[in-house]
Amino acid sequence: MGLPDEITIQEANNNLDIIEHQGRVYLAFRTAPEHFASDQTELHVVSSIDQETWTHEVSFSQDTDLREPRFLSLEDRLFLYYAVLGDNPLAFEPQGSRVSVLQDDSWSEAVEIFDADFIP
């Protein structure tokens, strides 16, 4: 897969979701130094028409672990939900969930949803 130049892959690449929305395929994935929690985690979204050439859509990093991306395509909007966790590789530290919405070719800023200790 030829990723866009905006994305730097780290050692661990996991926690992904994929969906077709309005003629494009969207892929969200987590990249980090290792599988365990890290403050260097990034969550990326790329899209493609042909699944050979990929376009950078949006990236998220919060100096803490981000996991479990999930897409929802609803009419003309594409939602991306993800979990925010801590940066201690030996602890489970839920810090809530976020959602970002693609509408009119633009991703919104990720906003908090649900209670801080709830991970859907």
Side-chain angles (χ1 to χ4, degrees), residues 30-64:
R30 172 191 182 272
T31 188
E34 58 187 3
H35 175 74
F36 301 102
S38 170
D39 62 357
Q40 297 176 48
T41 299
E42 296 176 337
L43 192 67
H44 298 291
V45 177
V46 294
S47 70
S48 178
I49 293 174
D50 60 11
Q51 298 176 47
E52 291 182 24
T53 303
W54 294 87
T55 301
H56 176 255
E57 289 285 330
V58 65
S59 296
F60 301 96
S61 63
Q62 295 181 220
D63 297 324
T64 195

Side-chain angles (χ1 to χ4, degrees), residues 3 7 9 13-16 27-31 42-44 69:
L3 289 173
I7 296 175
I9 294 297
N13 300 284
N14 50 32
N15 284 240
L16 58 93
L27 170 67
F29 66 96
R30 172 191 182 272
T31 188
E42 296 176 337
L43 192 67
H44 298 291

